[in-house]
Amino acid sequence: MRTIHFIGILLFGIILQACTNTEFTHIPLPEKRALNFNNDWQFTLGDNQDFATVEFDDDKWRTLTLPHDWSIEAEFDQKYHGATAYLPGGTGWYRKTFKADPQWLDNSTYIYFDGVYANSEVYLNGKYIGGRLNGYSPFYIDISKHLNADKNVLAVKVEHERYIDSRWYTGSGIYRDVTLVSTSKLHIPIWGTYVTTPKVTRSSAEVASQIEIKNNFDVAQSFTLVNRIYDQNHALVSQHSLNGQLAANTQTTLSSTSEVSQPQLWDLHSPSLYTLVSELRLNGKTVDTYKTPFGIRTIEYDANKGFFLNGKNHKIKGVNLHHGAGLVGTAVPNDVWRRRLETLKEAGVNAVRTAHNPVSVSFLELCDELGLLVQAEIFDEWDNPKDKRLNQWERHDDDISRGYADIFQQEAEHDLKDPIKRDRNHPSIIMWSIGNEIEWTYPRYKKATGYFDMNAAGNYFFNPPFISPEEIKERFHSSEEGQYVLAKTAQKLSKWVKEMDTTRPVTANLILPSVSHISGYTDALDVVGYSYRRVIYDYGHELFPDKMILGTENVVQWHEWKAIEERDFIPGTFLWTGIDYLGESNNGWPRKALESGMLDTAGFKTPSFHMYKTLWNNQPHIHITSQIEDKSLYKVDGQQVVEKKEGKWAERVWLWQDVNRHWNYKEGGSVIVEVLSNCDRVELFQNESSLGIQSLSESPDHELKWAVNFTAGQLVAKGLDGCDASDKVTTAKNASQFAISIDKSTLDVNPHHVAHIEIQLTDENNIAVHHQEIQLQFDVSTNVQLLGLDSGNSRTIDKYQNTKVITSEGRALGIVRVNDNKPAWITISGQGLTSKTVWLNNG
């Protein structure tokens, strides 16, 4: 069994003296040294180099608060491409005029961007000072020498003309937070701390800190570094001091070790966090303070027994998530992510794979707080490009779809190392993924599989290899290497990861693992991820028993979890996907999103959510859906309901079958009722008359089914044998009103704080209406910003920022934030419906 303690190796700096203080008291945590720089930006679409100059007049530009995604504000248009959800890219400029605090001029001062999509150029007072090509990479720039005492103009050009540079919606603009960091010239650099816990027991934990110290003074400095560790209640639990000296304009790393008694371990259900406060003192005065949240926990990986957290075996119940969130695009407020992640946790989700690039630091902070495991992924392309429209090897070589492969050779090292350095203190991260389905882009792999040049009529998702491992090996090694060799690139990337962090395994998501195992690719990996290849779990484990195999992409269907549940050596899965996402809709107009999620684009629960809640959550659960027999996947055969195509449940892929939540059909019509449950036996009642009992033990597809002759009224499903769960659907009349649910009644002025307003159509008896759709109108007070409206229907093409939305299944969602702390209102109305008003900040 391989045991990895959070985090790893120590590098020693210059240490003159060390002392420890074990007197524990409650001490207030120091204030941040960083200033939120999201407010008061000017923005325009278009390009003119004069926009970078101090003299340019931007008074007519739009004033906005970051984060900002301009693509999501556009109209959906078929002239664009489905890979980007039929939304454009373009070029935009941002400008911010500010006066420098006098201290900034004497300090070391930096501007930090957590992500700008893409090809950013940053100018300060007319001078180019830096930027980043990769839109997912965080970066910062030292602006100390460029600041003026009075007026300063920060200008950022964002160029996204090649708007199909990924296979999904990326967004455009400064879509993550911007921060100004100003501190002493003797300071801890941004991302300058690395906290590890090499030894952890229930009674004590060794906490090792590795702190970078930078001296930007022109003379040497003698200093004291004081490290204090606080628990989540802000109680001081450890203190350690180091004295050091650093020459002018140099940098070093100091290392120290402390002990925490009776540590509160970071775990799935009790994600306890500690904070290391590192204080630099110069001549007895504190000149810099750096706070590092971290967790104490152990992770272990065993090729036969699976994954262990703090010594306990857990199945990884994960989902894949892109960095966007439907109606808000990629400028996602933290409250939106919180609501969505908490909903996924309700189903039993305990892990997230960040498909397929680094996410924001605020997203990872939420995962730390909520107890979600994270597989942090870095790249979707390496040496060779993917076809952004068709999702595999390149077949559309045009300028607008050129992506990361064009800059991989020059940018890959810092695009990998920077997010790892930023993120390696997060206890939620349990592995680093260096690539996603990379094999498509190297022709040798596809040709060696045997799937694509012979009798491959069966879906390769569900067929074991047609040829022997020996023939696969012969085919591969007798082919030409080409300009780039995947295995060599993988070794290089894995080496870079381990230069930054040795405490977590390196993995990748393999779409053609039968070849990757013999090509040398998996030699670079500690954990081997299989993409839609659960049919060869046994094949891989038998041939390569020393390698842990993990499901890194699987569809949200029962058969995928069944394969994992039956095998101890498969530690879990990441389902595709947790939430429907914009893009990957080539020639799918008007479908703008991929409908594979447990939640839809609005965050509403889909049937697959309820399926996995029955699999991943031990609490009793029942959910009813139905469909007329003609449209159902099932039919009546005598006294039984059976599949129209026997055994096809085991090969269902991304999309859930067409079912309804309503109970409104033609009187006497034949309806197939499908019940999802983790109760072994469920009884169904129509208008209080029993329609019989079905049992999961007799339902290999994990769905309970009844054939019902429809009669208006109520359908109720009840768990038996002490399984206390039930669900009901009721025939509704046409909508005459609606119910409003709002998750907050007060909001402060913060771009990350929002309120979700859910609307559900109801009839005159307050019964939910799921069979009728009505257009709703949202009107808001002047101090409310309507971020967007959505129904979760991926086949509507109304602009998200409209004030009107057509419901789907009788539902709609609005997301708002406020511009001040005064009372604010939102009025919702619809034809034939009585309007309603909800208030925020109203006392």
Side-chain angles (χ1 to χ4, degrees):
M1 180 180 290
R2 183 182 179 197
T3 301
I4 301 179
H5 298 279
F6 177 60
I7 299 172
I9 303 175
L10 299 178
L11 301 177
F12 290 90
I14 306 169
I15 302 175
L16 303 181
Q17 182 181 355
C19 60
T20 301
N21 184 344
T22 58
E23 184 177 331
F24 300 155
T25 59
H26 282 76
I27 299 176
L29 294 180
E31 295 297 318
K32 294 181 179 179
R33 63 182 189 165
L35 175 69
N36 183 304
F37 228 52
N38 286 333
N39 297 325
D40 301 321
W41 288 79
Q42 303 297 110
F43 170 75
T44 191
L45 280 174
D47 188 18
N48 186 327
Q49 201 58 35
D50 289 344
F51 296 167
T53 64
V54 174
E55 298 78 16
F56 181 81
D57 184 359
D58 57 22
D59 283 348
K60 295 182 179 179
W61 286 18
R62 173 183 170 193
T63 301
L64 53 74
T65 298
L66 303 177
H68 173 241
D69 172 6
W70 79 67
S71 291
I72 202 66
E73 300 171 343
E75 300 279 356
F76 294 98
D77 195 319
Q78 196 172 0
K79 71 181 179 182
Y80 303 117
H81 292 274
T84 63
Y86 304 101
L87 291 169
T91 297
W93 279 80
Y94 299 82
R95 287 168 57 93
K96 181 179 175 72
T97 301
F98 63 97
K99 184 177 181 180
D101 186 298
Q103 289 185 332
W104 300 353
L105 304 176
D106 297 326
N107 283 351
S108 288
T109 303
Y110 304 86
I111 190 74
Y112 172 87
F113 296 89
D114 203 40
V116 182
Y117 208 98
N119 304 302
S120 58
E121 299 175 9
V122 182
Y123 300 82
L124 183 58
N125 299 324
K127 182 176 181 180
Y128 174 78
I129 59 171
R132 197 67 167 240
L133 297 178
N134 185 355
Y136 297 101
S137 292
F139 66 99
Y140 60 92
I141 304 166
D142 188 339
I143 62 174
S144 307
K145 296 179 181 179
H146 307 291
L147 284 170
N148 294 328
D150 47 10
K151 178 182 178 181
N152 291 275
V153 177
L154 182 65
V156 182
K157 177 183 178 180
V158 184
E159 188 272 304
H160 193 202
E161 298 293 338
R162 289 177 165 178
Y163 69 100
I164 318 179
D165 56 351
S166 287
R167 299 174 293 116
W168 55 87
Y169 177 79
T170 63
S172 304
I174 307 180
Y175 70 107
R176 293 179 183 168
D177 289 321
V178 179
T179 306
L180 185 137
V181 177
S182 187
T183 189
S184 169
K185 290 184 178 180
L186 179 73
H187 64 279
I188 300 169
I190 294 171
W191 313 328
T193 63
Y194 184 31
V195 183
T196 72
T197 55
K199 297 179 182 178
V200 177
T201 67
R202 293 288 174 177
S203 60
S204 67
E206 178 185 315
V207 178
S209 60
Q210 182 177 317
I211 314 295
E212 296 175 15
I213 313 292
K214 190 171 187 179
N215 180 18
N216 284 344
F217 285 106
D218 291 331
V219 296
Q221 298 291 340
S222 298
F223 61 87
T224 299
L225 172 67
V226 181
N227 281 332
R228 297 187 179 95
I229 297 175
Y230 298 86
D231 67 16
Q232 60 186 358
N233 297 316
H234 308 305
L236 179 67
V237 297
S238 179
Q239 180 171 305
H240 193 79
S241 298
L242 300 171
N243 295 324
Q245 187 173 36
L246 191 56
N249 297 304
T250 59
Q251 181 171 327
T252 192
T253 300
L254 300 186
S255 301
S256 67
T257 301
S258 303
E259 182 177 321
V260 173
S261 298
Q262 303 299 318
Q264 303 168 45
L265 301 186
W266 187 93
D267 214 327
L268 297 177
H269 303 294
S270 56
S272 299
L273 291 171
Y274 289 82
T275 302
L276 171 69
V277 179
S278 301
E279 179 183 332
L280 273 178
R281 292 179 179 175
L282 190 60
N283 299 322
K285 179 183 177 182
T286 298
V287 295
D288 189 30
T289 303
Y290 196 110
K291 298 198 310 186
T292 307
F294 69 98
I296 298 174
R297 55 104 172 110
T298 65
I299 52 176
E300 305 163 43
Y301 298 84
D302 188 287
N304 294 305
K305 297 179 182 178
F307 169 74
F308 294 79
L309 176 66
N310 298 324
K312 182 179 179 180
N313 184 257
H314 289 276
K315 286 290 189 184
I316 295 172
K317 301 173 180 178
V319 294
N320 288 273
L321 292 177
H322 277 308
H323 71 304
L327 64 163
V328 295
T330 57
V332 187
N334 293 346
D335 281 352
V336 172
W337 273 131
R338 178 182 295 278
R339 180 179 172 90
R340 294 180 176 218
L341 291 175
E342 287 178 343
T343 304
L344 290 169
K345 278 177 64 72
E346 182 187 329
V349 171
N350 64 18
V352 172
R353 173 173 171 243
T354 63
H356 297 291
N357 300 94
V359 291
S360 68
V361 67
S362 56
F363 181 93
L364 293 173
E365 288 170 351
L366 274 173
C367 292
D368 289 343
E369 176 190 338
L370 295 174
L372 286 167
L373 308 171
V374 175
Q375 181 188 112
E377 194 155 76
I378 310 297
F379 296 124
D380 186 55
E381 282 186 334
W382 292 354
D383 303 300
N384 302 315
K386 290 182 179 177
D387 193 309
K388 309 305 186 300
R389 297 176 178 88
L390 300 180
N391 205 28
Q392 294 181 350
W393 51 90
E394 187 176 44
R395 284 158 281 178
H396 291 88
D397 183 8
D398 52 7
D399 185 67
I400 59 172
S401 65
R402 305 304 299 176
Y404 190 73
D406 280 9
I407 60 173
F408 177 80
Q409 308 305 325
Q410 70 186 63
E411 300 290 311
E413 184 170 5
H414 72 156
D415 283 341
L416 179 145
K417 288 184 174 180
D418 284 357
I420 291 179
K421 189 173 185 182
R422 181 196 69 175
D423 299 337
R424 61 189 177 179
N425 292 316
H426 289 282
S428 56
I429 296 179
I430 60 167
M431 61 182 76
W432 305 107
S433 173
I434 57 176
N436 169 62
E437 296 186 354
I438 298 296
E439 301 105 309
W440 285 136
T441 67
Y442 296 80
R444 305 172 75 197
Y445 284 74
K446 180 168 67 80
K447 293 177 181 178
T449 64
Y451 282 113
F452 302 96
D453 63 344
M454 54 182 298
N455 179 21
N459 190 328
Y460 90 108
F461 284 14
F462 303 113
N463 286 117
F466 293 131
I467 58 179
S468 68
E470 292 74 22
E471 186 174 348
I472 292 173
K473 188 173 183 178
E474 170 61 27
R475 284 188 178 202
F476 181 84
H477 289 290
S478 63
S479 62
E480 295 184 8
E481 283 191 342
Q483 181 180 4
Y484 301 111
V485 178
L486 186 157
K488 293 181 180 178
T489 300
Q491 290 285 1
K492 175 176 65 177
L493 297 177
S494 183
K495 174 177 175 290
W496 288 343
V497 171
K498 293 178 187 298
E499 287 174 5
M500 306 306 297
D501 180 27
T502 59
T503 70
R504 301 171 176 92
V506 175
T507 188
N509 185 42
L510 307 187
I511 191 66
L512 304 173
S514 60
V515 183
S516 296
H517 274 296
I518 58 87
S519 69
Y521 184 8
T522 59
D523 294 344
L525 307 178
D526 303 304
V527 174
V528 180
Y530 278 16
S531 191
Y532 308 109
R533 300 300 286 128
R534 57 98 171 156
V535 73
I536 63 167
Y537 287 159
D538 294 335
Y539 170 97
H541 185 61
E542 180 180 348
L543 293 175
F544 310 98
D546 295 331
K547 285 288 186 182
M548 171 176 275
I549 297 169
L550 171 69
T552 32
E553 275 189 40
N554 296 97
V555 294
V556 194
Q557 300 284 355
W558 150 240
H559 59 75
E560 298 282 44
W561 185 246
K562 181 176 183 291
I564 293 166
E565 200 173 53
E566 294 170 345
R567 293 165 174 81
D568 290 341
F569 63 85
I570 302 295
T573 182
F574 293 91
L575 300 173
W576 195 268
T577 55
I579 307 173
D580 291 355
Y581 60 93
L582 296 176
E584 285 199 44
S585 182
N586 185 57
N587 294 327
W589 180 266
R591 181 177 63 83
K592 61 183 182 286
L594 191 65
E595 303 153 316
S596 62
M598 295 167 67
L599 308 179
D600 62 27
T601 54
F604 293 134
K605 300 169 184 175
T606 68
S608 62
F609 172 94
H610 294 283
M611 167 60 88
Y612 267 81
K613 187 172 182 179
T614 72
L615 300 172
W616 285 357
N617 192 320
N618 292 328
Q619 293 182 345
H621 183 62
I622 292 177
H623 182 72
I624 299 173
T625 60
S626 59
Q627 184 56 276
I628 61 173
E629 186 175 355
D630 287 348
K631 291 185 177 181
S632 176
L633 296 181
Y634 300 96
K635 65 180 181 180
V636 180
D637 183 9
Q639 300 298 314
Q640 292 184 314
V641 178
V642 298
E643 285 185 289
K644 290 177 179 176
K645 295 182 179 179
E646 185 178 358
K648 282 299 179 182
W649 66 268
E651 294 185 0
R652 293 179 192 166
V653 285
W654 294 278
L655 303 185
W656 196 263
Q657 59 263 35
D658 182 12
V659 291
N660 300 311
R661 180 59 175 164
H662 66 70
W663 191 237
N664 284 73
Y665 295 104
K666 181 180 178 181
E667 195 71 22
S670 179
V671 178
I672 304 298
V673 175
E674 301 177 32
V675 172
L676 302 173
S677 182
N678 51 9
C679 298
D680 183 63
R681 296 201 310 146
V682 173
E683 187 169 9
L684 188 69
F685 298 85
Q686 181 172 222
N687 299 332
E688 299 184 354
S689 296
S690 177
L691 300 179
I693 298 170
Q694 299 289 339
S695 175
L696 284 178
S697 61
E698 298 175 359
S699 305
D701 59 358
H702 212 271
E703 296 181 34
L704 306 176
K705 300 163 288 294
W706 286 261
V708 179
N709 292 322
F710 175 76
T711 298
Q714 191 171 80
L715 201 66
V716 179
K718 296 181 179 181
L720 302 177
D721 308 321
C723 190
D724 187 16
S726 65
D727 190 27
K728 65 182 179 181
V729 289
T730 305
T731 304
K733 299 179 180 179
N734 286 340
S736 59
Q737 54 186 345
F738 55 87
I740 297 177
S741 173
I742 184 168
D743 61 350
K744 294 183 183 69
S745 59
T746 60
L747 280 177
D748 57 0
V749 182
N750 185 316
H752 287 291
H753 294 174
V754 301
H756 295 76
I757 304 170
E758 284 191 24
I759 308 299
Q760 175 64 62
L761 300 180
T762 60
D763 68 10
E764 61 188 28
N765 298 313
N766 295 318
I767 296 170
V769 173
H770 295 295
H771 69 287
Q772 181 189 10
E773 311 306 344
I774 292 178
Q775 186 178 76
L776 300 175
Q777 171 75 37
F778 280 63
D779 296 299
V780 302
S781 56
T782 55
N783 58 340
V784 169
Q785 182 181 358
L786 182 60
L787 293 184
L789 301 174
D790 191 11
S791 67
N793 184 350
S794 69
R795 296 168 192 270
T796 59
I797 54 172
D798 296 322
K799 183 179 177 181
Y800 279 133
Q801 283 70 37
N802 284 349
T803 59
K804 297 180 180 179
V805 62
I806 298 173
T807 61
S808 177
E809 298 186 31
R811 300 178 301 190
L813 174 78
I815 299 180
V816 300
R817 63 186 176 199
V818 296
N819 302 323
D820 59 38
N821 292 315
K822 298 177 181 178
W825 54 263
I826 304 98
T827 297
I828 301 104
S829 58
Q831 186 174 4
L833 308 176
T834 301
S835 64
K836 294 184 179 181
T837 298
V838 294
W839 287 86
L840 295 168
N841 302 340
N842 198 29

